[in-house]
Amino acid sequence: MILTVTLNAALDVTYRVPRLDPHGTHRVRSTTERPGGKGLNVARVLAALGYATAVTGFVGGDTGRAVRALLDAERGHHRSLRDELVTVEGGTRRTLAVVDETTGDTTQFNEAGPEISAQEWEAFRDAYRRLLGEAEAVALCGSLPPGLPVGAYAGLVREARAAEVPVFLDTSGEPLRRGLAARPDLVKPNLAELAEITGSTDPVGAARDARRRGARAVAASLGADGMVLVTEDGTRRARPPRRLDGNPTGAGDSAVAGLLIGVVRGRGWREALVEAVALSTATVVAEAAGEFVGEVYREALGGVEVWEGE
C-alpha cells in the first residue's frame, strides 16, 4: 500500500467561464466538485493505475462530509483507494478554480483550512503510525492547516524514517525548510518554492543546495520544460516529447505519483523520472487535478527525453 498524507484537504470547485473579466459578472458554463489537496490528487492518480493507496489527513464539517462522499463514489471505479481520513471539529476548506476558456488560464482561490487542536494532531499521529506499518512508501503533501506546528512535516518524516518507510515531501516555505533537515528520501518543489528556500533561481544549483540540506533526492518541476532530478548518483533532466496546451494544475501531484511508482516497483531514478514526466504531461490535458488522459500518458512514456548532467 502507498500512503498519501493531505493535512489540509479540500473540496476543489472548478468553474469554467467563456472569459474571465475582472470586476465583471460571469455566467458559469460548468461546475465540477472533486476531493482536493495535493496528497488526494496523488492518491487518485495512483488508484487509477491500480496501486493500492490509502489517504489520510484531516476532514471536518459539511465540506469534509462532501469530500468523503466524493471519495466513496470514486471507489466505485478505483477499489484500490482507501479512506483513512481523520475527522476534526473544524470545517474542511474549499478551493475555487476559475478557468478562462478563451485563454486557458486558471485563477485560483484557496481557503486557509480548519484550526487543528493539539488533541486532533495527536489522534492523527496515532493513525499515521498505524498506517506506516502497512505502507511501502509515504508522500507528505501540501500546506499545513492553522494550528499545526511549522515543523509538523519534519516530525512525520522522522517517524517514517524510523519505520524504514521511504518518505517523499511536497510542500513549500518553512515547512519544506524544516522538512529537509529531517532527511526525506525525496522532495519535489517547483522552481519558485526551490528559490524561496535556497535563494537561487538556477534549477540544478538550487536542487543541489536543497539536497545538501538533507534530502536524499530533489526533483524540481520545470513546468512545460519537464523536470530536473538531483540524486546521489548525479543530475538528470527530462522533458515531454511535445508541449501541450491545457491546465497545469495538478501536474506536479501526478509527477509525485510517478516518482512513487518508481520507488515501489524498485526502478532506478531514470525510469521513475520518465514515469513522473509522462504522468504530469497527461494531467495537463485532463479536466482536473488528480486525473490524466491515458492515451497521452502512454504516448509520453515512449517519448520522454532524458539526459544526464547539467
Side-chain angles (χ1 to χ4, degrees):
M1 177 266 284
I2 300 173
L3 176 63
T4 72
V5 174
T6 311
L7 294 178
N8 209 5
L11 178 65
D12 283 350
V13 182
T14 302
Y15 289 167
R16 303 187 73 89
V17 299
R19 186 176 187 87
L20 183 62
D21 177 22
H23 315 297
T25 300
H26 299 80
R27 186 174 297 277
V28 177
R29 286 191 191 272
S30 66
T31 304
T32 57
E33 294 185 349
R34 288 178 172 83
K38 296 177 75 64
L40 285 169
N41 293 336
V42 172
R44 290 164 61 213
V45 170
L46 290 169
L49 291 168
Y51 290 88
T53 309
V55 296
T56 192
F58 298 112
V59 289
D62 291 340
T63 308
R65 284 187 284 274
V67 168
R68 294 195 107 143
L70 288 167
L71 271 178
D72 188 59
E74 288 191 9
R75 290 181 63 199
H77 303 286
H78 309 309
R79 295 286 181 184
S80 54
L81 184 60
R82 188 168 123 206
D83 177 356
E84 292 283 353
L85 294 163
V86 175
T87 302
V88 295
E89 185 176 348
T92 294
R93 68 188 178 125
R94 292 161 298 180
T95 67
L96 176 63
V98 182
V99 180
D100 183 325
E101 293 182 331
T102 300
T103 64
D105 294 336
T106 300
T107 301
Q108 192 88 14
F109 301 87
N110 296 334
E111 295 179 356
E115 184 84 22
I116 304 300
S117 70
Q119 294 79 11
E120 289 166 339
W121 177 228
E122 284 308 309
F124 167 80
R125 292 185 67 184
D126 287 342
Y128 177 70
R129 294 183 191 106
R130 171 178 56 82
L131 290 165
L132 283 176
E134 307 174 48
E136 298 173 82
V138 57
L140 310 172
C141 304
S143 62
L144 295 177
L148 289 190
V150 72
Y153 278 134
L156 298 182
V157 168
R158 293 187 187 99
E159 291 196 43
R161 287 179 52 82
E164 298 183 344
V165 177
V167 55
F168 289 16
L169 178 61
D170 185 8
T171 188
S172 60
E174 192 60 24
L176 174 58
R177 193 187 311 275
R178 300 280 187 97
L180 279 169
R183 303 185 62 80
D185 291 276
L186 180 137
V187 296
K188 196 220 66 65
N190 59 34
L191 282 179
E193 293 163 348
L194 200 54
E196 183 182 2
I197 63 167
T198 66
S200 173
T201 57
D202 168 54
V204 173
R208 287 175 176 168
D209 186 353
R211 186 170 179 272
R212 284 192 293 270
R213 293 170 188 240
R216 177 186 170 210
V218 179
S221 299
L222 306 179
D225 292 324
M227 181 173 286
V228 60
L229 176 65
V230 175
T231 67
E232 69 280 359
D233 61 354
T235 300
R236 297 175 180 84
R237 287 179 182 256
R239 65 184 174 199
R242 57 191 176 97
R243 287 176 178 262
L244 297 172
D245 294 327
N247 181 3
T249 304
D253 305 330
S254 293
V256 171
L259 293 165
L260 283 165
I261 289 169
V263 167
V264 169
R265 285 186 174 178
R267 296 175 172 178
W269 284 118
R270 180 186 177 91
E271 290 78 8
L273 183 58
V274 169
E275 187 85 38
V277 171
L279 276 172
S280 61
T281 300
T283 296
V284 169
V285 293
E287 288 190 6
E291 299 178 1
F292 62 93
V293 176
E295 182 180 350
V296 175
Y297 165 59
R298 290 185 290 273
E299 176 191 337
L301 270 178
V304 171
E305 182 181 0
V306 181
W307 67 100
E308 300 192 8
E310 299 185 30

